[in-house]
Amino acid sequence: MASTQTLSHIYPLGSRVNELGHLELGGCDAIELAERFGTPAYIVAEDDLRARARAFIAAFEAAGQADFEVVFASKAFPATAVMRLFAEEGLGCDVASAGELHLALRGGFSPRKLVLHGNARDDGEFQLALDAGVGLIAVDGFDDIDRLERLVAGRRERQAVLLRVTPGVRGETHEKISTGQADSKFGVSVAQAPAAIARLQSIDGLELRGLHMHIGSNLFSTEPFRVAIAAIAGLGDFPVYDIGGGLGVAYAAEQEPLAIEDFVAEVVGGVHELLGAGKRLMIEPGRALVAGGGVTLYRVISVKDNVSRWVAVDGGMSDNLRPMLYGARYEADVADRPGGSTRVQLAGKHCESGDVIIKDVLLDDPRVGDVVVVPVTGAYGHAMANNYNGVPRPPVIFAKDGEAHVVIRRETLDDLHARDV
Ligand code: LLP
């Protein structure tokens, strides 16, 4: 019977194939979701996001790290509804621009729970952060120090800052999302750090609380973290260490990322060994919190055969840039016929040959009108969506216990010229 069919573990928590043989997400039938909200649409299983937030917190407690903060890297899914959910779960929030800062405040984060990052923030962005009273600003270089020194002069309260250090470690990931290598646009090198630390400590309006690093994204091993922590351990004894984000996720069933529990346990172990047990430890997961909770629904518009079978859907590189940018690999299913053995090219609707969502994916004989589900699109999908070819961006729909509601509406054609003057 269809309902006993098991679904790949890469689908959101609680997903299943229902009695009708349809994929069900957050208790909602994917075919009904597509009919009710239209396609393409991002569907987010709320419980999945909450479970991952709780898993991070439980993992720190289990690892014996008393003083910690899990900071959601909001760039992975900068939506106020997502931010509100993680604020409710007690997380902090990493913002990398005035825009993300604005969204996080609107999403209900206390300013104290915010960490401002970035390698090129102008006076306006710093001023906004100072006025809002953000908990921490990560200082990325000497020009930041000059800028902040000017902006905090005469302020009554000292602004807490971290210094971002580039540990000179390359995490094994796509080169475009590796950040810890020596020749990086981020942070100061280990060699330059002592001078930056001395300058920060000499400025009255700033309080240097500790060090920050972020070595890269979608990492499948904690080894680079250990090497990086060792590299910054000699720079002094600080109360706070923020080791950034980067925990990888499975986009395809055969990929085996570290479980949140194991990742945190190994990192905490490394920190205790190299820095001591009494530190405040911060971590900034983005992808690992939101990737797996989100799926994208598309509708098949055309099927044609030449050398391959080309199945074209109503979205593509405007709602998921990752295949184009990083050659990222995804899986898919037809919503009412999961599984299957017809090899197809799942193509997007954009006017570029490279706009292929998945090369060589096995589906159950897709036909025009079918709903196709692509899992693991919660991270950096909505975040990097764009209007290429004048395609309106999809809505974000939260699903939980069989109820679904829109948290970001679909863009309209009129939105496309709303900024015309
Ligand atoms: N902290 C900092 C300072 C970061 O720059 C990033 C990501 C994170 C935390 C979160 O990293 P995560 O846990 O998500 O790996 N657009 C790319 C990913 C870019 C990541 C940029 N920085 C993608 O779609 O793969």
Side-chain angles (χ1 to χ4, degrees):
M1 205 178 121
S3 59
T4 59
Q5 187 172 340
T6 50
L7 202 53
S8 162
H9 66 89
I10 64 174
Y11 276 94
L13 188 78
S15 302
R16 61 168 196 143
V17 179
N18 68 16
E19 292 69 21
L20 299 171
H22 299 181
L23 276 171
E24 192 181 272
L25 312 151
C28 301
D29 186 310
I31 298 285
E32 282 174 22
L33 288 171
E35 271 159 22
R36 180 164 160 215
F37 298 106
T39 51
Y42 301 114
I43 310 295
V44 175
E46 226 181 301
D47 287 343
D48 184 284
L49 267 48
R50 290 191 192 276
R52 290 180 211 258
R54 289 171 195 178
F56 268 103
I57 291 172
F60 275 100
E61 286 164 353
Q65 174 67 30
D67 192 1
F68 67 89
E69 180 138 48
V70 179
V71 177
F72 167 49
S74 66
K75 68 204 74 183
F77 205 149
T80 55
V82 172
M83 290 160 156
R84 188 163 296 113
L85 181 153
F86 286 133
E88 283 168 12
E89 294 296 330
L91 306 197
C93 187
D94 149 355
V95 295
S97 66
E100 286 180 0
L101 171 60
H102 183 72
L103 288 174
L105 292 172
R106 206 172 156 92
F109 275 103
S110 148
R112 292 279 152 217
K113 296 284 255 182
L114 303 185
V115 186
L116 177 70
H117 287 295
N119 69 309
R121 291 150 298 179
D122 60 19
D123 282 15
E125 284 174 309
F126 278 131
Q127 193 63 57
L128 209 62
L130 292 167
D131 291 346
V134 302
L136 285 165
I137 294 177
V139 172
D140 202 77
F142 292 95
D143 292 313
D144 275 1
I145 302 179
D146 292 344
R147 218 170 248 124
L148 279 170
E149 180 172 32
R150 225 181 336 102
L151 295 172
V152 298
R155 281 171 60 93
R156 272 214 323 251
E157 255 187 75
R158 300 173 86 199
Q159 173 63 47
V161 299
L162 301 175
L163 175 66
R164 178 163 182 172
V165 180
T166 304
V169 172
R170 188 179 283 278
E172 238 177 76
T173 187
H174 194 283
E175 65 165 318
K176 287 183 184 142
I177 55 177
S178 175
T179 44
Q181 68 277 12
D183 195 14
S184 166
K185 70 171 184 169
F186 297 101
V188 298
S189 67
V190 174
Q192 293 165 327
I197 290 168
R199 274 222 55 207
L200 286 167
Q201 286 172 335
S202 75
I203 298 169
D204 279 345
L206 299 178
E207 182 195 349
L208 177 62
R209 310 259 359 254
L211 304 181
H212 172 267
M213 63 179 215
H214 171 73
I215 51 185
S217 196
N218 209 24
L219 303 171
F220 277 56
S221 147
T222 54
E223 191 47 33
F225 285 87
R226 195 172 261 275
V227 178
I229 294 163
I232 63 170
L235 293 172
D237 186 21
F238 297 96
V240 180
Y241 287 86
D242 182 337
I243 57 151
L247 172 57
V249 303
Y251 285 93
E254 74 277 5
Q255 291 168 350
E256 287 178 11
L258 285 164
I260 290 172
E261 299 68 34
D262 298 334
F263 173 78
V264 170
E266 287 177 27
V267 166
V268 168
V271 166
H272 286 183
E273 188 184 310
L274 297 159
L275 301 170
K279 305 298 178 193
R280 176 169 184 73
L281 182 56
M282 301 175 69
I283 187 178
E284 298 169 346
R287 191 187 314 267
L289 281 169
V290 294
V295 310
T296 307
L297 303 184
Y298 298 104
R299 200 167 292 269
V300 175
I301 301 294
S302 127
V303 179
K304 62 175 73 150
D305 288 296
N306 46 33
V307 179
S308 304
R309 174 162 296 186
W310 293 92
V311 175
V313 298
D314 52 1
M317 61 186 285
S318 55
D319 58 76
N320 188 356
L321 210 44
R322 302 193 70 260
M324 269 296 247
L325 266 188
Y326 317 115
R329 172 85 197 164
Y330 286 83
E331 289 187 354
D333 283 294
V334 176
D336 53 3
R337 301 188 310 280
S341 56
T342 312
R343 182 177 300 278
V344 311
Q345 313 294 337
L346 188 68
K349 70 179 274 108
H350 296 278
C351 306
E352 295 196 25
S353 292
D355 177 35
V356 176
I357 302 169
I358 315 175
K359 289 187 187 128
D360 293 320
V361 59
L362 299 178
L363 296 176
D364 187 349
D365 189 21
R367 302 185 278 267
V368 170
D370 276 344
V371 174
V372 171
V373 186
V374 176
V376 206
T377 57
Y380 305 107
H382 164 80
M384 299 196 294
N386 58 80
N387 291 126
Y388 185 38
N389 292 138
V391 174
R393 284 173 290 183
V396 178
I397 316 289
F398 270 23
K400 178 182 163 60
D401 300 334
E403 303 281 334
H405 65 280
V406 181
V407 300
I408 297 183
R409 66 162 172 80
R410 182 181 305 284
E411 252 177 339
T412 64
L413 296 180
D414 283 340
D415 286 332
L416 297 177
H417 55 76
R419 292 181 300 138
D420 287 5
V421 203

